[in-house]
Amino acid sequence: MILRGKIGIKEKFLETIKKYDMIRTKDKIIIGLSGGPDSVCLLDLFCSIREEFQLEVFAAHLNHCFRGRESDEDEEFAKALCEKYNVKFFSKRVNVPEIIEKTGLSPEDAARRVRYDFLFEIKEKLNADKIAVGHNMNDHEETVLMNIFRGTGTEGLIGIEPKRGCLIRPLIEIERTNIEDYLKKHNIPYRIDSTNLKTEYYRNKIRLELIPYIKQKFCPHFSDAVKRLSDIVALDVSFIESIIENIYPSLVTEGENFIKLHIKPFEKQPTGARYRILRKVIGNILGELKDIEFNHIKSLDEFIIEQSPGKMVELPRGICGEKGYEEFYFYIKGQIKDFSYVLNIPGEIYITEIGKKISAELLDRTTNFKLKATPLKVFVDYGKIRGNLIVRNRRPGDRFFPFGFKFSKKLQDFFVDQKIPSFERNLVPIVENEGKIVWVGGFRLDDRFKIDDNTTQILILEIK
Ligand SMILES: Nc1ncnc2c1ncn2[C@@H]1O[C@H](COP(=O)(O)OP(=O)(O)OP(=O)(O)O)[C@@H](O)[C@H]1O
């Protein structure tokens, strides 16, 4: 949208702020200041409204150390500019090329992560309300096109969001040329990133070659069209997300170290809903969906529906899935470590690995008390216990006496009989005394420790 007639850049900036409810009176705002035209313009515009809205404006610059002396000059420029505007300035130097070498991340990705970490760090430090960054309308259309070229899903059409949480982009509806004109007209200096002009970078090629071609030959109103597309998709996506949000709790149970999907109700959902549920599950485990592609979700869905219990699957970034009888388990490889705790009698411990408490209490047999065992609460003959108890998860070769004293059974076989998926077996607390299993927590008490006519003191074991 070329700003026509009376509506100038400041009006558009204010209109966007209002439309997306970006700021409140007295907000503390941190501007991500690269020194480039967009963020300089953003700084100028915020300073022009700071009295009216009683804002506290700060600026933060991250020196990525990408371009040697040029990067240092950007930092010095941003600092000097802030002095002129009387804005408190924060900066940090991070050797991003070194991070790229260590992590294998792409330069853009590494720079973005480091930059946002820094901006959020300053936000915490200042207890600020918002972080403002200078993405403009052209950045948005470039992003949408790039997403389409890589075969994006619906979300990719949203492009750069005007607002996400405390992150705001008040220039998102303003064209780059308008920003540059504004800076020229008001004699406001800015830095030009030399790499922005090089067409060998993919984004720059789209910016400098493809979009001008589209606008000239096919669609002069391309920017407006893309913005409208994104606004419509954003509405639809938020509607779809609200539906998914509603059905999610009936299909999924989130544990401390794993997520359980209830297979039967999941299967009844339409394909699109199932795919979204799976994306949400993985997003909740990883915190993001990086490296998880459409084909992973599609194959995972087929696996969950078609495979038989006991089968396992691995996805990128260490995500594992295991099909149980009623449930499908998601977890991160190697996350459930072996654990072993001492449980005093009486006493209580919290097992962080499985997020559960287990307690041991003593009770005199003479007490007039009705004993009612449940899977989570059992009664043991204390006279058969020596010293303290150990609570741990399974170990290879574990055996116990679930059915009488005559024959012991392999714990492994017991789990198979009970149809407990192998992933869940690591989460079962085993109470042990002098090397003997007393209780397979939540499942079965060993017959050797049951109370009998000679029992005088009862040990109550309970999982909470
Ligand atoms: N080094 C940096 N330090 C702080 N904020 C930054 C930095 N680089 C970018 N930003 C913020 O992120 C926004 C988008 O980054 P992008 O890389 O697209 O911008 P740019 O082309 O480097 O600079 P500008 O958008 O200021 O012209 C910037 O407008 C700015 O608000």
Side-chain angles (χ1 to χ4, degrees), residues 31-40 42 60-64 115-116 118-119 132-135 139 193 196 207:
I31 295 170
L33 183 64
S34 65
D38 303 324
S39 55
V40 167
L42 191 64
H61 175 90
L62 190 100
N63 184 339
H64 301 104
R115 191 158 73 225
Y116 281 108
F118 170 60
L119 293 174
V133 282
H135 297 93
D139 292 325
D193 178 346
N196 272 354
R207 170 185 303 171

Side-chain angles (χ1 to χ4, degrees), residues 17 60 69 115 134 159 211 302 308 315 339 361 415:
I17 282 178
R69 185 72 211 123
R115 191 158 73 225
I211 294 178
E302 279 164 17
S308 42
L315 293 167
F339 60 83
E361 262 179 71
F415 281 149

